[in-house]
Amino acid sequence: MKQDYVQGFPAYCGFEVLRVAYGRFEVRLKVGAEHAQREGFVHAGVLATMADHTAGYAAYTTVPENISILTIELKINYFKPALGAFVVCRSKVINKGKRIIVAESELFSVRKDHEKLVSKAMITLMAVPLPEPA
Amino acid sequence: MKQDYVQGFPAYCGFEVLRVAYGRFEVRLKVGAEHAQREGFVHAGVLATMADHTAGYAAYTTVPENISILTIELKINYFKPALGAFVVCRSKVINKGKRIIVAESELFSVRKDHEKLVSKAMITLMAVPLPEPA
Amino acid sequence: MKQDYVQGFPAYCGFEVLRVAYGRFEVRLKVGAEHAQREGFVHAGVLATMADHTAGYAAYTTVPENISILTIELKINYFKPALGAFVVCRSKVINKGKRIIVAESELFSVRKDHEKLVSKAMITLMAVPLPEPA
Amino acid sequence: MKQDYVQGFPAYCGFEVLRVAYGRFEVRLKVGAEHAQREGFVHAGVLATMADHTAGYAAYTTVPENISILTIELKINYFKPALGAFVVCRSKVINKGKRIIVAESELFSVRKDHEKLVSKAMITLMAVPLPEPA
């Protein structure tokens, strides 16, 4: 079920799943005071967390259920302050190797249905078999 | 005052300042259920947020008060799952240019006073003059 | 003139300009023995150099002639070994700020007109005014 | 033998091995006109190639002979123009996992025995078993 996608820290942050497809995942955040940095923009860490979370689940859509996805590394560029009422993050898998999966996440600040690209990330993930249940 | 260092999202995450020196900053997190990812480790986004927050404040110690610090980009590698009761993040400025400041953040999982390096980040920051008050 | 785009190290590497447009640049390399790594694939450094070179010139198309472009940082992912007779690299500017320009470079291995995406890079560049001539 | 470390593109670039130890590797380049970019500094691609080459061999010192090392991704920051007669690059492995090895490379511009840190890189490598000889 959709709510299974958001647990622990992503749930604490308030992410909400918008769309899921093979190799793709989209998440939305309603921005609150708890997401701000010093100047009142959405904190870089919130955006990095969205980028990672969304990329991880985009990768999950491409592997069997007994495979777990771990983030090896994440790189994110911040273009503009995120100032709107919502942030939307869209990820897609751009290369699927046997063990290494690479995804991109684009983050948009949303104000009155107008989207502005504020950040973009590349994420390297590893597909790891889950331990067999005893 | 020390508590001024932690506002908005870093406060919501529960970061606590341990040490401040010129070009250096250290932050600690007491790990709770709200910081977890799927498998129960500390979420990659929590670690990225700590790495960014700590690097930003390390950079702040090197500039005058009328200068703001913005993150241009962040890159973080995840080595091992963070499993301990605490995470400690230590940042230092490794290059201070006129506008561009680069810092590194090392993240340690702490268990009974034993530290293990679980993650390392490089962060590119920009020093931006604050607008003059009218 | 087109040959002005390729000097110094890019010329030594053998890059050849294919296309130039606003915010876009495309370069080709005929692969030789001097471009190989240990296993005979195109060396990661050749691909990083193409990614940087092409991104820099994509950025140059968006600024006046008295502005120089410097690379602040480059991040490149390697998906597959580059094995073909040619490598083609296409860059585009994905965000143009006042000082900071971000570009992406996609690298394709080319074999009998069939292209395969082997690598992708994000490059952060800075627009710097050239010193005035005396 | 030492010269085996430098083949193909690294040999074409003119890298010369200075030191090898477990998890560490050091390489030097005598700078020539063929290494320049537009303004006459050492090209960003030369530095990225040194950072990758040196990190790869630092990783090789930590694995058995039947294991090959591939670069998954490389991230490099450029702090200052490299202007000296030589560039020295020192890499060390900072985390050795079963499959994923992370190394750092520091690049110094050398002028009359004075070293200046001009660039720093993080490189993610993968240890891959070589195919058995038939």
Side-chain angles (χ1 to χ4, degrees):
Chain A
M1 280 168 302
K2 265 199 174 179
Q3 57 270 42
D4 291 353
Y5 288 127
V6 184
Q7 314 160 345
F9 192 58
Y12 186 65
C13 288
F15 301 161
E16 166 195 10
V17 177
L18 290 190
R19 253 180 292 266
V20 186
Y22 182 86
R24 290 175 179 262
F25 209 84
E26 184 175 343
V27 157
R28 186 171 66 170
L29 172 71
K30 188 174 185 326
V31 177
E34 71 273 27
H35 302 116
Q37 47 74 281
R38 251 168 104 110
E39 277 89 19
F41 315 144
V42 178
H43 195 281
V46 175
L47 302 177
T49 302
M50 284 188 91
D52 174 73
H53 174 71
T54 315
Y57 279 98
Y60 268 118
T61 67
T62 69
V63 297
E65 290 221 348
N66 61 332
I67 300 292
S68 183
I69 297 289
L70 294 177
T71 305
I72 294 179
E73 61 88 39
L74 172 147
K75 187 262 197 280
I76 181 164
N77 270 65
Y78 300 100
F79 301 149
K80 302 177 167 66
L83 290 162
F86 292 92
V87 176
V88 165
C89 179
R90 293 188 193 103
S91 292
K92 69 173 177 204
V93 169
I94 60 168
N95 195 70
K96 183 165 164 17
K98 248 174 282 182
R99 284 223 182 72
I100 304 294
I101 298 171
V102 181
E104 278 183 355
S105 297
E106 291 188 323
L107 295 118
F108 301 87
S109 186
V110 187
R111 234 181 194 176
K112 298 180 186 162
D113 290 328
H114 180 73
E115 291 191 350
K116 195 158 63 174
L117 180 69
V118 294
S119 190
K120 184 159 185 181
M122 271 178 88
I123 303 99
T124 309
L125 306 133
M126 186 155 57
V128 181
L130 286 173
E132 303 271 330
Chain B
M1 280 169 300
K2 266 196 175 183
Q3 58 270 40
D4 290 355
Y5 290 126
V6 183
Q7 313 161 345
F9 191 58
Y12 186 64
C13 288
F15 301 162
E16 165 195 10
V17 178
L18 289 190
R19 254 181 290 268
V20 186
Y22 182 86
R24 290 176 181 262
F25 208 85
E26 183 176 342
V27 157
R28 186 171 66 172
L29 172 70
K30 189 174 183 327
V31 177
E34 72 273 26
H35 303 116
Q37 46 75 280
R38 254 167 100 110
E39 278 89 18
F41 315 145
V42 178
H43 195 281
V46 175
L47 301 178
T49 302
M50 282 187 93
D52 174 72
H53 174 71
T54 315
Y57 278 100
Y60 268 119
T61 67
T62 70
V63 297
E65 290 220 348
N66 61 331
I67 300 292
S68 184
I69 297 290
L70 294 177
T71 306
I72 295 178
E73 61 88 39
L74 171 147
K75 186 261 199 279
I76 182 165
N77 269 65
Y78 300 99
F79 301 149
K80 301 177 169 66
L83 290 163
F86 291 92
V87 175
V88 165
C89 179
R90 295 191 190 101
S91 292
K92 69 173 179 204
V93 169
I94 60 167
N95 195 70
K96 182 165 166 16
K98 247 174 281 182
R99 285 223 182 71
I100 304 294
I101 298 172
V102 180
E104 277 183 356
S105 297
E106 290 188 322
L107 295 119
F108 301 88
S109 187
V110 186
R111 235 180 193 178
K112 298 180 185 163
D113 290 330
H114 181 73
E115 290 190 349
K116 195 159 65 174
L117 181 69
V118 294
S119 190
K120 183 159 185 179
M122 272 179 86
I123 303 98
T124 308
L125 306 133
M126 186 155 58
V128 182
L130 286 172
E132 303 271 329
Chain C
M1 280 169 302
K2 266 199 177 182
Q3 58 271 41
D4 291 355
Y5 289 125
V6 184
Q7 313 160 346
F9 191 59
Y12 186 65
C13 288
F15 301 161
E16 164 196 11
V17 178
L18 289 190
R19 254 181 292 269
V20 185
Y22 182 86
R24 291 175 179 262
F25 208 84
E26 183 176 343
V27 157
R28 186 172 66 171
L29 171 71
K30 189 174 184 324
V31 177
E34 72 273 26
H35 303 115
Q37 45 76 280
R38 254 167 101 109
E39 278 89 19
F41 315 144
V42 178
H43 195 280
V46 175
L47 301 178
T49 302
M50 283 187 93
D52 174 73
H53 174 72
T54 315
Y57 278 99
Y60 268 118
T61 66
T62 68
V63 297
E65 290 221 347
N66 62 331
I67 300 291
S68 184
I69 297 289
L70 293 177
T71 307
I72 294 179
E73 61 88 38
L74 171 147
K75 186 262 199 278
I76 181 164
N77 269 64
Y78 300 100
F79 302 149
K80 302 177 168 65
L83 289 162
F86 292 92
V87 176
V88 165
C89 180
R90 295 190 191 102
S91 293
K92 69 172 178 206
V93 169
I94 59 167
N95 195 69
K96 182 164 166 17
K98 247 175 280 183
R99 285 222 182 72
I100 303 294
I101 298 171
V102 180
E104 278 183 354
S105 297
E106 291 188 323
L107 295 119
F108 301 88
S109 185
V110 186
R111 235 180 193 177
K112 298 179 186 162
D113 290 328
H114 181 74
E115 292 190 350
K116 194 159 65 175
L117 180 69
V118 294
S119 190
K120 184 158 185 180
M122 271 179 85
I123 303 98
T124 308
L125 306 132
M126 186 155 59
V128 182
L130 284 171
E132 302 271 330
Chain D
M1 280 169 302
K2 267 198 174 180
Q3 59 270 38
D4 290 355
Y5 289 126
V6 184
Q7 313 160 346
F9 192 58
Y12 187 65
C13 287
F15 300 163
E16 164 196 11
V17 178
L18 289 191
R19 253 181 291 267
V20 186
Y22 182 86
R24 289 176 179 262
F25 208 84
E26 184 175 343
V27 156
R28 186 171 66 172
L29 172 71
K30 189 175 184 324
V31 177
E34 72 274 26
H35 302 117
Q37 48 75 279
R38 252 167 103 110
E39 278 88 18
F41 315 144
V42 177
H43 195 280
V46 175
L47 301 177
T49 302
M50 284 188 92
D52 174 72
H53 174 71
T54 315
Y57 279 98
Y60 268 118
T61 67
T62 68
V63 296
E65 291 221 346
N66 61 332
I67 300 292
S68 184
I69 296 290
L70 293 177
T71 306
I72 294 179
E73 61 89 39
L74 172 146
K75 186 261 198 280
I76 181 164
N77 269 66
Y78 300 100
F79 302 149
K80 302 178 168 65
L83 290 162
F86 291 91
V87 175
V88 165
C89 180
R90 294 190 192 103
S91 292
K92 68 173 178 206
V93 169
I94 60 167
N95 195 70
K96 179 161 166 22
K98 248 174 283 183
R99 286 224 181 71
I100 303 295
I101 298 172
V102 180
E104 278 183 357
S105 297
E106 291 188 324
L107 295 118
F108 301 88
S109 186
V110 187
R111 234 182 193 174
K112 298 181 186 162
D113 289 328
H114 180 73
E115 291 190 350
K116 196 159 64 175
L117 181 69
V118 295
S119 190
K120 184 158 185 180
M122 271 179 87
I123 303 98
T124 308
L125 306 134
M126 186 157 56
V128 182
L130 286 172
E132 303 271 330

